[in-house]
Amino acid sequence: MQVNMMIKQILGRLPRVKPSKTEATAGPGGDPLTSSGATVNPAKMVPTQGNLGLFKGPLDNGYSDMLSSVLAPSLLANHVPLVPCTVAENYLSFYYEPLPLFRDVPSSARSNLFIRKLHLCTVVFDFTDSTKFVKEKDIKRQTLHELADFISSSNVSFSDVMVEEITKMVAANIFRSLPPSLHENPVMETLDLDEDEPAMEPAWSHLQIVYEFFLRFIMSTEMDPKIGKRHIDHFFVLKLLDLFDSEDSREREYLKSILHRIYGKFMVHRPFIRKAINNIFYRFIFETERHNGILELLEILGSIVNGFALPLKEEHKLFLVRALIPLHKPKCLSVYHRQLSYCITMFVEKDLKLADTVIRGLLKYWPVTNSHKELLFLNELEEILEATQPAEFQRCMVPLFRQIGRCLNSPHFQVAERALFFWNNDHIVSLATQNRSVVLPIIYHALEKNTRGHWNQAVHSLTLNARKMFLEMDQELFQECKRRFEEEEEKAKLAQERRELTWQRLEAVASQSMSSQTVMVQN
């Protein structure tokens, strides 16, 4: 008890520190509150006159350098404190002023001015209200144009500090949370959103210049990859990949160009980029089936696959089997099918032994009720068969022509017509001719069925042409197939007659049983 009393007396003699205004009005998590009680992000601060002392927090993370180069030096010299932007928007308008042009300063000062301009462009404005900060937005837009032109027109040697500030400025502007898509709203799933215009980024007038500036920076021969890879790291690449889900196609085009250049310039990042794209594909295929940037990512991969060295690594073959082939599964295949087909065809051309794997993969995901997807599959299948060699063709020809036979008998005339067009391809005809003893018996039934009763006249004519071709190819085999077909048809007819006779007998027995039960009840 005496010890506790002594401690209390000692603590009571210590001077009490009066809490600051910021601390007294702290919100949840320690964030300061505005006069209206709203929580404020302490990273968005501007100077104002008031009590002495500087705000502790964001300044320790590099913001003090930004403020010292952008805002009035007299304020920082007098230790003017910082307050939330929402409270002091007028102060931002007063202190956000343009910096001198590069041509107006000596060459020795341009690097420092370049960094100061980058700091100025780190401020992000809200474009949902076009009436706010009109002058400041225009200043930032002009400054971004100056930075982009300076990189293109000058032989700038980018130091480590400059590269760091460039990535900070770019990250501050483009890395953001994307608005939720209408397709993610379960209430909107019942509506037809295919005709709706995609959401356009309201801040595109600034974002476009930031993307153009960063693209020119990545393409610059003066940028040393050894320095760049320290700041354009794995985290930066992942944030770039997240932006591919943007609904704005203009933004996705810039992202495609930038990521492609990063892949080409930073060899150390290549395995990571491929793995990260794989993960996006896996989530799209097996979880969401919703992503806006699959087309652009496949365009990048088409160039990457084209540059793969031979022989192909096992990692690349697994990527084909686990990611590219399953991309045929989603309903929205038509959006990116051309790019996907190009990637798969490139794999087959680089390693001819993969043709069997690809064809069997297509057969695995072959659509049953979607005729439009069936047409896409047939188009891709023809491209793959053109690159297929006889040895690989023989491994998959039985399941392949069973599926083609089903397509020949499709009630959708475009599917049947597209399957019959295979016989206009010389390479496919050559493969079928070499293996006609296997191919013709499989599809003869489908050809004969179309000849006797397909409703579409064009399909009927094409079937007759294909039938004539096989007849001229091997008349003896054709007659043998015809004989077998007629035998099977006769057997099927006899089986049907026996089945009908059996049902007649069952009906007779049932009627006799019912009549006998009726007599017993009457008695």
Side-chain angles (χ1 to χ4, degrees):
M1 290 290 296
Q2 293 180 354
V3 174
N4 292 336
M5 291 294 296
M6 291 176 62
I7 293 175
K8 288 182 180 180
Q9 291 176 2
I10 294 172
L11 293 175
R13 294 176 183 177
L14 294 175
R16 295 186 178 182
V17 179
K18 188 176 181 179
S20 64
K21 187 176 181 180
T22 304
E23 294 171 348
T25 58
D31 291 338
L33 300 178
T34 62
S35 57
S36 62
T39 305
V40 178
N41 182 0
K44 297 181 178 179
M45 298 293 173
V46 293
T48 184
Q49 296 179 353
N51 299 327
L52 296 179
L54 287 173
F55 185 88
K56 301 298 181 183
L59 293 177
D60 299 331
N61 296 327
Y63 286 85
S64 58
D65 296 334
M66 180 188 75
L67 292 172
S68 63
S69 60
V70 175
L71 303 176
S74 59
L75 289 174
L76 295 172
N78 294 327
H79 299 284
V80 177
L82 300 173
V83 297
C85 285
T86 52
V87 180
E89 290 179 354
N90 293 332
Y91 289 100
L92 178 61
S93 300
F94 183 77
Y95 295 117
Y96 198 88
E97 296 294 336
L99 294 169
L101 299 176
F102 284 108
R103 64 172 179 265
D104 296 336
V105 298
S107 300
S108 58
R110 288 179 181 174
S111 296
N112 185 41
L113 179 61
F114 181 81
I115 294 176
R116 292 174 64 196
K117 286 180 179 289
L118 289 173
H119 289 166
L120 187 73
C121 294
T122 305
V123 180
V124 180
F125 296 100
D126 181 11
F127 280 81
T128 56
D129 188 350
S130 59
T131 62
K132 283 188 176 182
F133 300 116
V134 177
K135 185 191 78 170
E136 291 74 16
K137 292 174 183 177
D138 189 59
I139 292 172
K140 179 180 177 181
R141 181 182 59 80
Q142 294 177 5
T143 306
L144 287 169
H145 276 301
E146 291 175 24
L147 290 170
D149 293 339
F150 180 71
I151 284 184
S152 300
S153 59
S154 306
N155 294 326
V156 187
S157 180
F158 296 103
S159 64
D160 186 83
V161 175
M162 294 174 71
V163 174
E164 181 181 5
E165 296 302 329
I166 286 172
T167 53
K168 283 183 179 179
M169 187 276 286
V170 171
N173 281 275
I174 69 173
F175 294 159
R176 65 203 187 280
S177 297
L178 297 174
S181 172
L182 288 175
H183 294 278
E184 295 178 5
N185 188 347
V187 178
M188 305 295 290
E189 284 184 352
T190 57
L191 303 178
D192 184 10
L193 301 175
D194 294 337
E195 302 298 328
D196 291 355
E197 291 293 329
M200 295 299 167
E201 176 57 49
W204 183 247
S205 58
H206 282 190
L207 280 178
Q208 180 183 14
I209 313 171
V210 174
Y211 277 121
E212 183 64 30
F213 164 79
F214 191 53
L215 179 60
R216 294 182 187 183
F217 166 69
I218 295 294
M219 294 171 61
S220 175
T221 55
E222 302 297 326
M223 198 270 284
D224 186 359
K226 294 180 180 178
I227 297 176
K229 70 181 182 181
R230 292 201 290 268
H231 305 288
I232 304 175
D233 53 9
H234 289 178
F235 178 78
F236 191 94
V237 170
L238 282 177
K239 298 294 286 183
L240 271 182
L241 286 168
D242 288 342
L243 293 174
F244 272 89
D245 201 18
S246 169
E247 291 192 24
D248 197 326
S249 59
R250 302 168 298 180
E251 182 171 16
R252 297 199 303 271
E253 281 297 314
Y254 267 108
L255 288 165
K256 178 183 70 175
S257 301
I258 289 170
L259 186 63
H260 192 193
R261 297 289 179 176
I262 290 176
Y263 186 90
K265 200 149 197 171
F266 302 102
M267 295 185 66
V268 67
H269 291 338
R270 290 184 180 182
F272 178 80
I273 291 175
R274 292 197 300 268
K275 184 177 180 181
I277 294 176
N278 281 5
N279 292 335
I280 293 176
F281 286 165
Y282 294 152
R283 188 166 186 268
F284 170 70
I285 296 165
F286 301 109
E287 294 181 19
T288 64
E289 289 196 8
R290 293 168 182 170
H291 196 283
N292 294 310
I294 299 298
L295 183 149
E296 287 79 12
L297 291 172
L298 284 170
E299 286 185 348
I300 297 172
L301 284 171
S303 178
I304 293 174
V305 173
N306 193 23
F308 280 163
L310 297 177
L312 290 176
K313 296 180 180 178
E314 192 64 27
E315 167 200 352
H316 303 328
K317 295 179 183 179
L318 289 175
F319 166 67
L320 169 68
V321 174
R322 295 178 179 177
L324 289 185
I325 293 178
L327 275 173
H328 291 85
K329 176 188 172 187
K331 298 177 182 178
C332 56
L333 171 66
S334 58
V335 175
Y336 55 82
H337 179 262
R338 184 172 61 85
Q339 291 75 16
L340 175 61
S341 178
Y342 175 78
C343 290
I344 289 181
T345 305
M346 289 301 304
F347 265 104
V348 175
E349 290 178 355
K350 283 187 171 291
D351 189 348
L352 300 176
K353 294 180 180 180
L354 291 173
D356 174 51
T357 303
V358 170
I359 291 173
R360 290 182 181 274
L362 286 178
L363 297 177
K364 177 182 178 181
Y365 293 102
W366 199 276
V368 178
T369 59
N370 191 331
S371 299
H372 179 62
K373 278 185 72 173
E374 242 182 321
L375 290 172
L376 297 177
F377 274 59
L378 288 168
N379 290 334
E380 184 177 355
L381 185 59
E382 183 173 5
E383 292 182 8
I384 295 168
L385 286 173
E386 286 180 351
T388 304
Q389 297 302 306
E392 282 68 41
F393 179 80
Q394 290 173 359
R395 295 192 185 100
C396 61
M397 59 184 177
V398 173
L400 170 63
F401 278 94
R402 283 176 181 166
Q403 182 60 56
I404 292 176
R406 287 190 284 270
C407 292
L408 292 175
N409 292 144
S410 172
H412 195 290
F413 78 97
Q414 289 180 329
V415 174
E417 191 176 54
R418 185 64 188 85
L420 286 163
F421 282 157
F422 276 31
W423 311 119
N424 295 336
N425 188 301
D426 293 338
H427 184 68
I428 296 177
V429 171
S430 174
L431 293 172
T433 302
Q434 296 172 27
N435 301 275
R436 57 184 178 273
S437 60
V438 177
V439 172
L440 183 56
I442 295 174
I443 66 167
Y444 182 86
H445 183 278
L447 293 173
E448 194 66 25
K449 186 178 179 181
N450 274 5
T451 304
R452 294 185 180 185
H454 200 283
W455 67 271
N456 185 269
Q457 186 60 40
V459 172
H460 187 267
S461 299
L462 289 170
T463 303
L464 290 176
N465 293 337
R467 191 173 180 274
K468 181 181 177 182
M469 182 193 69
F470 278 107
L471 178 61
E472 295 173 353
M473 186 186 300
D474 192 331
Q475 187 172 359
E476 183 179 349
L477 177 62
F478 187 88
Q479 294 298 333
E480 177 65 20
C481 292
K482 182 179 180 180
R483 184 185 62 80
R484 291 179 183 175
F485 174 76
E486 291 174 350
E487 288 179 357
E488 291 175 1
E489 197 174 42
E490 186 65 27
K491 289 179 181 178
K493 186 177 179 181
L494 292 173
Q496 178 66 20
E497 291 176 354
R498 286 196 297 268
R499 192 178 301 113
E500 291 178 356
L501 183 60
T502 302
W503 278 109
Q504 290 175 4
R505 291 173 179 173
L506 286 173
E507 288 174 0
V509 171
S511 61
Q512 290 177 2
S513 176
M514 288 294 294
S515 61
S516 62
Q517 289 179 4
T518 304
V519 171
M520 290 177 64
V521 170
Q522 290 176 353
N523 293 335

